[in-house]
């Protein structure tokens, strides 16, 4: 069911809607109108959510990282998802004091849910958030999870934890909902309020409340899912579908490379058909596409089913970084250069262009493979945080001026500073017979051919 949205500046309309609901008068001792909102987890997802609601009312913005809270209090968002002006316009109580959560009765949990080294779901951040919230829960509260999970986590795992911590009964004293986050880091067009919001609730009455609360700020409207499990499943298959489509492109790139055909040329030709989908090959990282399929396959295998297609796509995409590095080693060999000690520069470390997000960046696969060949490697990214790169991947970023006398230049991320590079600028970085790997296809192939510079595209 699709439900139109409600502008938070027009609460009379929202109130009129809620009055029309049979359960409006009183729902377990708590009015459905004027819900006080908390957002737990102020990262790439949580902060835009808090800001959207904070333009209508005071929001409790909770994060366990004191440094993050202090930065936001100063009007600084290191994720670059929210501008300083938007922060200033929002009424948010930034806090790392869990007791402040008791001031709210509608709690939104938006913490990361990554995978571990074995590519299994790592739900520890979610469970920690649930434990923290449970101690502050009151009768009539509603808890909505936005973090990616596999179907069943909200009701079967989070509900009992909240019960144990609060000593309240789930479904009687407090209630659950799930609304999958759809925020695309770095995307300034498809923002929180402009994307249709899928919502779900433990009961029909709770679903109405969740829909009304989100509908008060999401101008694109809300879609009422049939159940919490349906909403949980919808989240993981959205990105699983994209992952599989990209996996097909990556496999085609492997085939066309052996045929000595440029994949970009093939896709351009095929794209002239009206129903050809415009997917491209590349490194598949980030906190969604490269992660969500593993949540679904993990649950499927728990139930005794081995999902061949989904895992095949994951296997292909997870191998792209190694393939790119091996192509680079081949280019060095063709140029007559000694691989060991060759000067290799990688431009870009974040998981996508013009975004500082380093989570699950598969550029590290390229880097690790090159390092196994004992090349002299340097990495430059003008957007990534230097300390985060060191802590997350053990990579010491270098300045752009350090990229000189390079035997192999690998452009892995299409940051704006890289897309504007001219042939002459690239040549100034290269050693004699130096080569370029253009993973994103952003360089002018014809210009490089005229300049006599070897250029390979994925």
């Amino acid at each position: 069911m699709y439900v139109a949205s409600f502008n938070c500046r027009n609460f009379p309309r929202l109130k009129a809607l809620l009055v029309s609901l049979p359960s409006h008068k009183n729902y377990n001792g708590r009015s459905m109108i004027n819900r006080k909102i908390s957002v737990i987890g102020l990262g790439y997802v949580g902060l835009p959510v808090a800001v959207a609601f904070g333009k209508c009312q005071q929001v409790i913005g909770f994060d366990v990282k004191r440094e993050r809270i202090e930065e936001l209090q100063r009007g600084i968002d290191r994720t670059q998802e929210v501008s300083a002006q938007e922060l200033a316009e929002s009424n948010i109580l930034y806090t790392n004091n869990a007791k402040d959560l008791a001031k709210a009765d509608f709690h939104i949990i938006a913490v990361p849910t990554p995978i571990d080294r074995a590519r299994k779901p790592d739900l520890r951040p979610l469970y920690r958030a649930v434990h923290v919230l449970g101690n502050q829960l009151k009768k009539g509260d509603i808890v909505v999870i936005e973090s990616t999970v596999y179907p069943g986590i909200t009701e079967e795992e989070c509900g009992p934890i909240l019960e144990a911590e609060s000593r309240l009964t789930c479904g009687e004293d407090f209630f659950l909902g799930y609304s999958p986050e759809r925020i695309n880091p770095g995307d300034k067009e498809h923002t929180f309020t402009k994307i249709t919001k899928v919502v779900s609730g433990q009961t029909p009455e709770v679903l109405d409340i969740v829909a009304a609360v989100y509908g008060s700020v999401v101008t694109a409207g809300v879609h009422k899912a049939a159940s919490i499990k349906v909403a949980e499943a919808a989240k993981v298959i959205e990105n699983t579908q994209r992952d599989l489509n990209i996996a097909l492109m990556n496999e085609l790139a492997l085939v066309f490379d052996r045929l000595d055909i440029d994949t970009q040329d093939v896709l351009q030709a095929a794209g002239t058909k009206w129903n050809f989908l415009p997917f491209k090959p590349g490194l598949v990282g980030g906190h969604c596409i490269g992660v969500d399929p593993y949540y679904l396959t993990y649950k499927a295998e728990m139930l005794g089913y081995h999902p061949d297609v989904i895992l095949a796509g994951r296997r292909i995409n997870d191998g792209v970084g190694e393939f790119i590095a091996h192509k680079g080693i081949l280019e060095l060999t063709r140029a007559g250069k000694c691989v060991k000690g060759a000067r290799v520069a990688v431009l870009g470390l974040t998981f996508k262009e013009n975004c500082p997000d380093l989570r699950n960046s598969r550029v590290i696969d390229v880097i690790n493979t090159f390092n196994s060949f004992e090349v002299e490697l340097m990495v430059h990214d003008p957007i990534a945080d230097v300390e985060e790169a060191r802590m997350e991947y053990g990579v010491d970023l270098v300045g752009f001026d350090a990229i000189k006398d390079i035997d192999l230049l690998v452009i892995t991320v299409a940051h704006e500073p890289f897309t504007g590079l001219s042939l002459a600028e690239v040549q100034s970085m290269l050693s004699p017979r130096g080569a370029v790997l253009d993973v994103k296809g952003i360089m002018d192939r014809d210009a490089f051919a005229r300049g006599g510079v070897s250029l390979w595209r994925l």
Side-chain angles (χ1 to χ4, degrees):
M1 179 185 296
Y2 182 84
V3 180
S5 65
F6 297 87
N7 191 309
C8 66
R9 294 178 176 80
N10 190 3
F11 272 106
R13 286 184 63 199
L14 176 58
K15 184 174 181 179
L17 169 72
L18 296 177
V19 168
S20 69
L21 297 175
S23 58
H24 165 261
K25 293 181 180 179
N26 193 294
Y27 189 67
N28 207 53
R30 187 67 52 82
S31 171
M32 289 171 63
I33 299 177
N34 298 328
R35 284 274 169 175
K36 185 65 177 291
I37 295 167
S38 79
V39 178
I40 302 168
L42 299 176
Y44 284 89
V45 173
L47 183 61
V49 173
V51 166
F53 283 109
K55 293 178 180 180
C56 309
Q57 59 165 292
Q58 186 185 58
V59 172
I60 309 300
F62 177 85
D63 199 288
V64 294
K65 296 179 180 178
R66 178 178 296 179
E67 181 183 6
R68 176 66 169 161
I69 293 299
E70 291 174 348
E71 286 179 349
L72 292 171
Q73 288 172 339
R74 297 197 305 270
I76 301 171
D77 172 27
R78 66 168 55 196
T79 70
Q80 300 178 23
E81 289 299 303
V82 178
S83 67
Q85 180 179 347
E86 288 178 304
L87 289 177
E89 293 173 348
S90 301
N91 185 5
I92 302 175
L93 172 62
Y94 298 110
T95 180
N96 62 348
N97 185 348
K99 291 182 179 179
D100 287 326
L101 294 172
K103 301 174 183 177
D105 54 31
F106 190 98
H107 308 278
I108 299 172
I109 298 178
V111 297
T113 45
I115 53 176
D116 61 20
R117 291 185 177 181
R119 293 170 179 157
K120 302 296 184 184
D122 182 1
L123 292 164
R124 290 175 298 175
L126 175 61
Y127 291 155
R128 284 196 293 265
V130 171
H131 276 287
V132 168
L133 175 59
N135 287 310
Q136 311 303 325
L137 218 54
K138 308 174 300 301
K139 286 189 175 182
D141 281 11
I142 294 176
V143 180
V144 178
I145 295 173
E146 289 207 4
S147 307
T148 297
V149 296
Y150 52 78
I153 286 293
T154 300
E155 295 168 289
E156 298 166 12
E157 301 288 340
C158 295
I161 294 173
L162 290 168
E163 283 186 323
E165 295 294 334
S166 66
R167 298 184 180 180
L168 300 173
T169 301
C170 184
E172 295 181 13
D173 299 322
F174 70 89
F175 303 88
L176 300 174
Y178 184 82
S179 181
E181 62 90 2
R182 283 175 160 175
I183 290 176
N184 184 23
D187 188 339
K188 303 306 180 184
E189 178 181 355
H190 303 97
T191 55
F192 171 67
T193 61
K194 298 177 183 177
I195 306 171
T196 300
K197 200 77 172 81
V198 174
V199 296
S200 61
Q202 203 168 11
T203 68
E205 293 83 4
V206 170
L207 175 58
D208 287 337
I209 299 173
V210 175
V213 170
Y214 277 109
S216 69
V217 295
V218 177
T219 57
V222 299
H223 173 87
K224 290 183 176 181
S227 68
I228 288 177
K229 282 187 177 181
V230 166
E232 291 170 325
K235 168 60 180 175
V236 289
I237 72 161
E238 288 174 9
N239 288 312
T240 298
Q241 183 186 68
R242 287 183 54 77
D243 191 48
L244 286 170
N245 276 292
I246 298 171
L248 173 60
M249 297 300 105
N250 279 329
E251 188 163 53
L252 291 174
L254 299 179
V255 173
F256 294 147
D257 183 71
R258 286 163 172 76
L259 291 170
D260 197 25
I261 300 174
D262 188 287
T263 304
Q264 303 293 333
D265 287 344
V266 177
L267 295 180
Q268 185 178 10
T272 59
K273 189 180 180 186
W274 73 92
N275 60 353
F276 187 82
L277 301 178
F279 287 94
K280 294 183 178 181
L283 295 166
V284 184
H287 189 59
C288 291
I289 299 179
V291 172
D292 292 3
Y294 286 120
Y295 274 74
L296 185 58
T297 58
Y298 178 80
K299 182 64 175 180
E301 291 183 328
M302 284 176 60
L303 300 172
Y305 178 78
H306 181 78
D308 293 317
V309 174
I310 299 172
L311 287 174
R314 280 281 77 230
R315 185 177 64 252
I316 292 169
N317 286 341
D318 281 342
V320 171
E322 184 177 0
F323 168 73
I324 291 168
H326 282 147
K327 288 300 298 185
I329 298 301
L330 180 60
E331 289 296 318
L332 288 171
T333 303
R334 285 176 174 171
K337 295 179 180 288
C338 179
V339 172
K340 184 176 182 179
R343 289 174 58 82
V344 177
V346 173
L347 298 185
L349 181 60
T350 64
F351 91 89
K352 67 180 294 187
E353 64 274 7
N354 306 318
C355 175
D357 196 348
L358 286 169
R359 293 175 299 173
N360 193 38
S361 172
R362 298 333 306 166
V363 177
I364 194 62
D365 298 334
V366 180
I367 292 171
N368 288 340
T369 305
F370 274 126
N371 282 332
S372 70
F373 285 92
E374 299 183 41
V375 302
E376 182 183 335
L377 186 70
M378 58 190 73
V379 182
H380 169 71
D381 193 307
I383 297 176
D385 182 86
V386 174
E387 286 301 317
E388 186 179 355
R390 183 179 296 116
M391 291 180 61
E392 186 74 17
Y393 299 113
V395 172
D396 290 314
L397 297 176
V398 303
F400 189 72
D401 293 341
I403 312 296
K404 299 293 182 184
D405 195 30
I406 299 301
D407 298 313
L408 181 69
L409 184 68
V410 187
I411 306 172
T412 53
V413 186
H415 291 319
E416 284 186 10
F418 303 154
T419 59
L421 289 173
S422 66
L423 171 62
E425 289 173 313
V426 172
Q427 286 177 314
S428 70
M429 305 178 201
L430 299 176
S431 65
R433 302 188 313 281
V436 177
L437 300 187
D438 181 11
V439 176
K440 301 296 290 185
I442 60 176
M443 295 290 103
D444 187 332
R445 182 182 55 180
D446 294 336
F448 273 68
R450 291 192 298 269
V453 178
S454 174
L455 177 72
W456 176 86
R457 305 194 297 182
L458 179 64

